[in-house]
Amino acid sequence: MEKILEIKNLSVIRKQKEKFVPVLNDINFSIEKDELFCLVGESGCGKTSLALSIMKLLPKSFTVKSGEIFVNGKNILAMDEQSIRSMRGREMSIIFQDPGAYLDPLFTIGVHMKEAFHGDTKQQQVLMTSALKEVGLEPYMLHSYPHQLSGGQQQRVMIAMALINKPSLVIADEPTTALDILTTYQIINLLDTIRKKYHPGMLFITHDLKLATKIGTRTGIMYNGYIVEIFIPGKTRPAHPYSSILMGTEYKYSRISEATLSWQSDICPFFEKCPERDSECEKQIAFTWYQDMTGIRCIKHGRNSQV
Amino acid sequence: MKRFFQRLRNHSKLAYFSFWFLVFFYIVSFFADILAPYHFDYQFRNKPYQPPTKIHFIDESGHFHIRPFVYNMIIDDPVFRTYREDQSTRYPVKFIVNGPERKIFFVFKTSKYLFGVDEPAGIFLFGTDTYGRDIFSRLLYGGRISLSISIVGVLISFTLGMITGGIAGYFGGLIDQILMRFVEILMVFPSFYLMLSLRAMFPLNLSSIQVYFLIVLILSLIGWAGLARIIRGMVLSIKEEDYVLAAKSLGLSHWRILFFHIFPNTFSYTITALTISVPGYIIGEAALSLLGLGIQEPYPSWGNILSSTIGNLKVVGDAPWLLLAGVFIFAVLINFNLLGDALRNVLDPKNW
Ligand SMILES: Nc1ncnc2c1ncn2[C@@H]1O[C@H](COP(=O)(O)OP(=O)(O)O)[C@@H](O)[C@H]1O
Ligand code: SF4
Ligand SMILES: [Mg+2]
């Protein structure tokens, strides 16, 4: 299969009060064409940072310590600003969490769509209108200001903008977190329809594991800047203790407090909170890969059990 | 644009009025060459300090005339300069009259003016000054200079402040350091002394056009530094906004983002600040004129019309119309402030 996104050994650190804090550690995964890769984790675990690393839009205080990111086979971390800019919006695009804040309040939807469109200007008007129709909006909304639309409509605009150039990689960073439950399902259905039509590689970030297992072709679980498990919903069952907690099956999630940032890098990242930890876990734990592109970062739980 | 006026009117009827009042002032003074009955240095030597000419419809025998007319005014008592109307001849007010050629803004020629009367009578709506010059005409011409100085000055300040503050705030780093230190040096000097010392760098006997541009330059050099600092601060916060990140994710260039997303989002502040700062330029010019460093006679500006009056306070009691320049400055100042206050709300997208 054609690899749209490939991340190798990515580590990102962040400067905080003259100290360096790890944000992403040893991230390895890839997304193929037509795949919907879901990334799940509690807030602050580094999901947005990962998304912004791929767009090469990390805030100034963040530094990529090591690793490589390939989009359509191009090593984007090695590219200069000019060439990466020509990829943004065309080959890869991103949909953000709070659609209201990501639209410039001074400009109409039409102006935003024009900015997003990078094609032949003769086709611009036609394509803009059809893109709006595709996400279920009326053409007259081109003349509306962002604040005149509902949250769901704003998110539809963001989706239309992200997809207008038919990029091969679409990142959606918690696109429904700011929306109510009904609107959430409408947006999910919309993304699904669009994926079936254009077959992009999609990175769908959410904190909702149930949602991820419902829609994802593959799902990664993130904890404290590490990917601790990757599984295929419906085919393999997550086995990592943290995944189990997220699934709400084996342990009471309420007993687990928020992840602390000051962890030791040379032991299992989940050690501090793991109900199954023992002295064996006090060493560096590598991510074990399996044939079907799934894997786990735990020595107690091996191959994901089959469903 | 249409929506802007609607919003302005809905927000404040008073500010809406102010807006059109100012537009009216600017247009009228722009067309001074057509609207003024006399050229600014045209003198009626035998009519100094003449009070405003009365416009009559009914003559001394009680007859009504459709066409308004004036009488010639003759000095009665040369010591106290009391005037009386010579009612022997009526001088009808004529519209679209011919006269000596004038150049509208040094370019378009015109020899037709809106109205006038035949000499020896004169039509002085606001009276005359020491030299028997028509104050109404001088105020129109003076308004053209004072108001255009303010607008050109504001535009220069705005451009300088926007670009300097924008670049410093958006790109940061060394550029930011250099630009801001420079701005701070400018801001250390009290603006009035800075104005005087800048003026002192140039000779006194410049031509009027040179003085005009010099004043514009001096006033805008003083105005832009504070603006640059404030815009830099705004840009620093706006560039962290999510919509700027979104714009970057669409692959837009830095310049595109700076000019289309960051600058426009400072406008609700900058346009308000600039509106309120316009009168400062008119007053700055007046201050220079008061010290004899501004626009020189016979060229009129509101500043030097007022300053020649203030230098001659004895006659003001007898000829209060000489103070009209001050009234005009005050009216423009009040209206700019009213408008600026309303714009603060009207331009805020949250209120759209
Ligand atoms: N703009 C920023 N500047 C500094 N630190 C940030 C910024 N954004 C996020 N962080 C920090 O980086 C870490 C990872 O955050 P993030 O990637 O946003 O997590 P998530 O999206 O999973 O909630 C958190 O500790 C967060 O506090
Ligand atoms: S390696 Fe040990 S500590 Fe880490 S998740 Fe597995 S059981 Fe828990
Ligand atoms: Mg996030």
Side-chain angles (χ1 to χ4, degrees), chain B residues 122-133:
Chain B
I123 182 159
F124 310 120
L125 295 180
F126 293 164
T128 64
D129 66 7
T130 338
Y131 307 108
R133 294 179 300 196

Side-chain angles (χ1 to χ4, degrees), chain B residues 171-349:
Chain B
F171 294 104
L174 189 63
I175 307 178
D176 183 24
Q177 293 293 324
I178 294 171
L179 290 177
M180 283 305 110
R181 291 306 87 76
F182 181 65
V183 160
E184 276 153 17
I185 291 169
L186 271 184
M187 288 176 76
V188 166
F189 300 103
S191 56
F192 189 70
Y193 296 104
L194 185 59
M195 187 165 88
L196 290 187
S197 45
L198 281 173
R199 180 62 183 89
M201 283 161 51
F202 295 89
L204 278 175
N205 55 341
L206 294 172
S207 82
S208 296
I209 297 199
Q210 285 169 327
V211 171
Y212 176 89
F213 284 109
L214 185 60
I215 290 177
V216 170
L217 214 66
I218 289 176
L219 293 176
S220 47
L221 278 180
I222 289 168
W224 76 276
L227 194 65
R229 263 208 88 87
I230 295 168
I231 288 174
R232 171 184 173 268
M234 296 187 75
V235 170
L236 275 182
S237 87
I238 293 173
K239 76 171 180 181
E240 300 297 330
E241 291 282 345
D242 292 335
Y243 52 77
V244 171
L245 181 65
K248 286 181 185 163
S249 82
L250 295 175
L252 304 182
S253 70
H254 285 312
W255 294 108
R256 169 93 200 177
I257 290 172
L258 193 56
F259 280 91
F260 283 80
H261 291 284
I262 294 186
F263 283 164
N265 275 287
T266 66
F267 283 174
S268 68
Y269 171 81
T270 37
I271 291 179
T272 305
L274 287 172
T275 307
I276 291 174
S277 76
V278 175
Y281 291 80
I282 299 174
I283 289 169
E285 183 275 322
L288 282 174
S289 294
L290 205 59
L291 297 166
L293 302 170
I295 304 289
Q296 300 298 312
E297 289 273 351
Y299 288 92
S301 75
W302 287 356
N304 74 10
I305 295 175
L306 188 66
S307 70
S308 64
T309 310
I310 289 172
N312 201 354
L313 276 177
K314 265 185 299 181
V315 301
V316 170
D318 296 329
W321 52 87
L322 291 174
L323 284 175
L324 275 169
V327 174
F328 277 36
I329 292 177
F330 187 66
V332 167
L333 186 148
I334 291 273
N335 281 291
F336 266 112
N337 278 326
L338 284 172
L339 181 62
D341 265 352
L343 286 182
R344 201 195 314 273
N345 288 308
V346 171
L347 293 174
D348 186 349

